[in-house]
Amino acid sequence: MSTNDWNWAKLDGDKVKALNEVEGFLGDEHILLAYQSVKPTSTLPPKVQVVDYTFANLNPGQLERLKKLEQQIGSVIVAYTYVA
């Protein structure tokens, strides 16, 4: 996936493990997608259509955990919730 200045994040084993741990913290109905900017940009990550999922409504504790993950792995993380 490549849209303008954004690509799927390239995650090594430790980063994938961290992502999986936060997915587990959020619950089975959530998935996380990781993006990285190719260059400094003010544009938002692309809106990816994920079948049977919509953007997640996270509580403050979940958002804080997601922000820490973004800092840890150096990527923008978008949370989706299963809706089907």
Side-chain angles (χ1 to χ4, degrees):
M1 189 270 312
S2 179
T3 304
N4 298 325
D5 297 333
W6 292 92
N7 291 321
W8 295 118
K10 294 180 175 100
L11 305 177
D12 61 23
D14 289 338
K15 291 178 180 179
V16 170
K17 182 179 176 183
L19 187 94
N20 289 337
E21 287 173 1
V22 174
E23 277 185 332
F25 171 78
L26 295 177
D28 291 339
E29 69 278 5
H30 293 90
I31 61 169
L32 300 176
L33 298 182
Y35 304 98
Q36 287 182 319
S37 178
V38 184
K39 58 185 176 182
T41 180
S42 61
T43 62
L44 296 173
K47 290 184 179 179
V48 175
Q49 190 74 24
V50 182
V51 177
D52 296 334
Y53 285 83
T54 188
F55 292 111
N57 290 318
L58 303 178
N59 67 43
Q62 291 171 320
L63 284 172
E64 185 62 29
R65 187 78 183 260
L66 207 60
K67 288 178 187 177
K68 287 180 182 177
L69 176 64
E70 287 180 328
Q71 292 172 348
Q72 180 182 354
I73 68 174
S75 299
V76 173
I77 308 296
V78 179
Y80 293 90
T81 302
Y82 185 67
V83 293

